[in-house]
Amino acid sequence: MVNLDALIKREDFELVSQVDDSPAQIQSIRATDLALDAMVYLVLRKPDFQRETASWTPEKVTALVKSFLEGDLIPSIILWQSSLSGKVFVIDGAHRLSALAAWVQDDYGDRHVSQSFFGNVIPDEQRRAAESTRRLIQESVGSFVELSHALRSDDVVPDEKMRLARNLSIGTLPIQWVSGTADKAESSFYRINQQGTSINDTELEMIKARRKPNAVAARAFIRAGTGHKYWSSFDASVQSDIESVANEVYDLIFKPHLGPSIRSADLPPGGRGYSADGMRMVFEFVNFANGVQSEMRLNESGVGRRKGQNKATADLVDDLDGSETIKYMRTVKRAAERIAGNSTGSLGLHPAVYFYSFTGRFQPAAFLAAVEFAKELSEKKRLIQFTRSRHDFEEFLVKHKYFLNQIVRRRGGWHRSVTPIHQMYKILLSGCAEGASHEEIIERLRDPKGARLPIQVAGPDDYEYGRDFSARAKDAVYLSTLLRDSTRCNICRARLNPRFSTLDHEVRKQDGGNGAPRNGQIAHPYCNSGYKEQQHASN
């Protein structure tokens, strides 16, 4: 998708007006009104609760620009103006306005305005989408600069380009105005945006919770503390802390950026941050780590909250000074550090083993289940047991990686599969600790009196494939090959992601070991700093 979120600034209009307002007089917007220094553009704002303007494909952006130049019917932009500040807020049509502004400014999420907005943190996917859009625009209608100059050189410009240039000179976007208070404008936003491409559950929940610590934290994490600063009302020191923690957690779970296909086992633990599911994944993670219960955590009958997960979103209060947001963010950081990174005590779980299915697809439920499993291991002091069994535990997961697909397919994605995946981990750890065979463990997983997991042993001949390799089949081949050849921890012998590793003295310094390369070995952070030391202490 093309990220146009930087093109129109955000602002909280509830803070600038609580009185009745009269609509402004202009009834249309020209393309030239969206230039960087145009007076209309300078007063345009999006409400701070407006969803991220990043839901259009390059083809859809191109189609909008072409429709504008062809004089096709484009739905009216709906605006509301504050009589106190004079600023004009986009109630509906932010994508349409942003697409046209992007064409005028030649910024499809990768140039000056976007770079400043995102603090130069532009994911590769965002750059690729921008370049794709720019190429399609050029092939379809040409750049704004090109058409703007065409009228001055009509003797050398092709007829088709000249026609589009003349249409540009007179083309406009129609405007409708919402009158009344800020509350009326907000209610208009909800009503309008439940039509057409409606607000999804996560977007709606985050809009309603936009001043609560979980929503502010999620907004900070998804863009590494860049973009619109929903925390700008907090003190400077608090803002700095929020942005620092956001950047650290972003690096832990979203780097390296996931490309369109798998060519490396070094995958981001949190999947693709720049995606339609990225915001939901982060919001779920924040809520999950902090024990926040929302409608999405209820089962289909509306009951059955998990033990310890009973703090409703509605019970949260607005965070006025940022202190609660910081608490939430630090809790998330601790949860992320248990499974990823190089901090002391990190299990350094291999993303390809735990968070991706055998077809190479990131599974949010597996990520959240691993977070809960790691927390349980720490709180119940079972980290030693896990490390002793980690090799066998992960060999089972890799051999039967398709179990993850089966659970998600039968139980459903997101939270519906977190508990069964967590159950699988607990039963598997118990079986590995007892030396049970794979067959015995599978029987325990399927036991009708126990977890009763919807798993079925499958072989390569149990799936149907076409003559050519599909994208998922290719990813499956690369993933299995990369897992087979993975580096191993020299302490527990399980797979190790070099990004989540430490250098260990094979013979400890206190036992006479030195810093010579021959005495060095790479290991998971916990294996080095926790497991190894406790093993020596117990001997």
Side-chain angles (χ1 to χ4, degrees):
M1 300 299 175
V2 188
N3 196 323
L4 307 175
D5 206 40
L7 275 298
I8 301 176
K9 294 180 180 179
R10 277 187 173 81
E11 192 168 300
D12 181 357
F13 63 37
E14 287 190 356
L15 299 181
V16 299
S17 178
Q18 286 294 335
V19 300
D20 287 337
D21 299 308
S22 299
Q25 298 303 309
I26 65 169
Q27 297 303 310
S28 62
I29 290 179
R30 296 178 179 276
T32 51
D33 291 330
L34 299 175
L36 276 173
D37 57 352
M39 294 181 67
V40 171
Y41 181 71
L42 292 173
V43 300
L44 280 177
R45 295 291 186 273
K46 288 184 293 195
D48 66 340
F49 52 79
Q50 171 71 270
R51 72 182 86 184
E52 188 175 46
T53 315
S55 301
W56 281 17
T57 62
E59 291 78 12
K60 192 166 184 177
V61 173
T62 302
L64 183 282
V65 174
K66 186 173 183 180
S67 293
F68 175 80
L69 292 172
E70 293 287 359
D72 295 340
L73 178 63
I74 296 176
S76 295
I77 307 298
I78 300 179
L79 306 177
W80 174 83
Q81 185 181 28
S82 163
S83 62
L84 281 181
S85 70
K87 292 173 182 176
V88 176
F89 290 84
V90 183
I91 302 302
D92 185 56
H95 264 101
R96 278 165 271 154
L97 272 180
S98 298
L100 198 57
W103 178 61
V104 171
Q105 299 172 27
D106 190 32
D107 186 346
Y108 302 100
D110 63 341
R111 294 286 170 86
H112 176 70
V113 174
S114 294
Q115 288 174 358
S116 176
F117 183 75
F118 293 117
N120 291 315
V121 181
I122 308 290
D124 292 341
E125 298 95 324
Q126 185 170 329
R127 292 186 189 279
R128 285 195 293 268
E131 284 301 326
S132 177
T133 308
R134 189 171 288 110
R135 183 176 62 255
L136 287 174
I137 288 282
Q138 188 60 45
E139 294 170 354
S140 177
V141 296
S143 70
F144 173 77
V145 171
E146 181 183 357
L147 294 187
S148 298
H149 291 167
L151 292 175
R152 303 189 187 104
S153 310
D154 57 356
D155 56 333
V156 295
V157 176
D159 290 344
E160 177 62 15
K161 292 284 184 178
M162 183 56 60
R163 182 180 69 85
L164 295 177
R166 289 170 181 148
N167 288 349
L168 170 61
S169 68
I170 61 173
T172 61
L173 288 175
I175 294 175
Q176 292 183 16
W177 292 90
V178 173
S179 61
T181 64
D183 287 339
K184 182 178 179 182
E186 183 170 344
S187 66
S188 296
F189 171 85
Y190 291 135
R191 184 178 65 256
I192 293 167
N193 284 277
Q194 284 303 307
Q195 303 167 7
T197 304
S198 63
I199 306 172
N200 64 42
D201 291 340
T202 301
E203 290 172 327
L204 189 58
E205 187 174 1
M206 290 187 68
I207 287 172
K208 293 179 177 179
R210 63 185 179 275
R211 295 185 181 86
K212 300 183 188 298
N214 58 335
V216 178
R219 299 281 192 188
F221 285 134
I222 194 64
R223 286 291 171 193
T226 68
H228 177 70
K229 297 187 177 183
Y230 293 85
W231 50 93
S232 61
S233 62
F234 304 150
D235 289 344
S237 61
V238 176
Q239 292 186 47
S240 178
D241 286 346
I242 287 174
E243 290 162 20
S244 175
V245 176
N247 187 63
E248 291 172 4
V249 172
Y250 182 91
D251 285 353
L252 280 174
I253 67 174
F254 286 133
K255 285 191 175 180
H257 295 303
L258 185 61
S261 59
I262 292 177
R263 292 296 182 271
S264 167
D266 187 14
L267 301 168
R272 184 177 284 111
Y274 184 71
S275 69
D277 287 335
M279 177 57 78
R280 180 177 179 183
M281 216 292 294
V282 172
F283 192 47
E284 295 279 2
F285 184 22
V286 172
N287 286 331
F288 192 82
N290 286 279
V292 176
Q293 181 75 54
S294 74
E295 293 83 0
M296 288 181 286
R297 281 142 183 84
L298 300 178
N299 61 28
E300 293 179 356
S301 64
V303 296
R305 291 174 176 172
R306 292 196 310 278
K307 183 179 180 181
Q309 300 288 319
N310 54 10
K311 190 194 305 178
T313 302
D315 296 334
L316 299 179
V317 297
D318 291 352
D319 187 4
L320 302 179
D321 61 6
S323 58
E324 284 299 307
T325 298
I326 287 293
K327 289 180 183 177
Y328 272 57
M329 294 182 73
R330 287 175 177 160
T331 299
V332 171
K333 181 183 175 184
R334 288 193 294 272
E337 287 178 334
R338 287 192 192 101
I339 63 172
N342 301 309
S343 61
T344 301
S346 170
L347 294 175
L349 300 182
H350 199 300
V353 173
Y354 286 89
F355 312 133
Y356 291 78
S357 69
F358 84 101
T359 56
R361 184 176 181 180
F362 172 72
Q363 292 290 354
F367 177 85
L368 296 176
V371 168
E372 184 168 325
F373 182 57
K375 180 181 179 182
E376 181 180 75
L377 291 175
S378 178
E379 291 178 345
K380 295 186 176 181
K381 302 186 184 306
R382 292 177 179 169
L383 289 169
I384 295 294
Q385 180 192 36
F386 172 72
T387 304
R388 286 173 179 160
S389 304
R390 182 167 180 170
H391 172 271
D392 295 337
F393 182 95
E394 294 186 3
E395 290 302 310
F396 181 95
L397 291 182
V398 171
K399 181 176 180 180
H400 303 287
K401 206 158 187 30
Y402 53 85
F403 282 175
L404 181 59
N405 298 69
Q406 293 176 351
I407 291 172
V408 172
R409 186 168 60 248
R410 292 289 299 277
R411 295 290 174 84
W414 298 94
H415 277 272
R416 290 186 290 274
S417 290
V418 171
T419 297
I421 294 172
H422 185 204
Q423 288 177 319
M424 178 173 71
Y425 290 161
K426 291 193 291 185
I427 293 170
L428 174 57
L429 178 58
S430 175
C432 290
E434 296 170 9
S437 67
H438 284 199
E439 291 74 18
E440 291 171 331
I441 292 171
I442 290 171
E443 286 304 311
R444 296 182 190 182
L445 294 173
R446 298 168 60 181
D447 187 354
K449 297 180 180 180
R452 198 176 185 176
L453 297 181
I455 58 173
Q456 185 70 38
V457 176
D461 296 331
D462 294 321
Y463 297 90
E464 293 183 4
Y465 302 98
R467 292 177 62 85
D468 296 322
F469 291 118
S470 66
R472 290 191 177 182
K474 292 176 183 178
D475 283 344
V477 172
Y478 275 100
L479 193 63
S480 62
T481 302
L482 292 165
L483 282 172
R484 183 190 65 208
D485 299 334
S486 287
T487 303
R488 299 277 179 164
C489 170
N490 280 279
I491 294 176
C492 73
R493 304 308 303 168
R495 289 171 178 80
L496 178 143
N497 184 333
R499 281 198 309 124
F500 306 152
S501 64
T502 57
L503 187 60
D504 173 48
H505 286 77
E506 186 171 355
V507 177
R508 300 186 309 160
K509 289 185 288 185
Q510 53 266 52
D511 296 332
N514 59 25
R518 65 177 178 275
N519 191 43
Q521 60 180 4
I522 56 175
H524 298 116
Y526 175 74
C527 290
N528 181 0
S529 61
Y531 177 75
K532 184 177 178 181
E533 294 307 311
Q534 290 198 37
Q535 290 297 99
H536 278 278
S538 62
N539 291 335

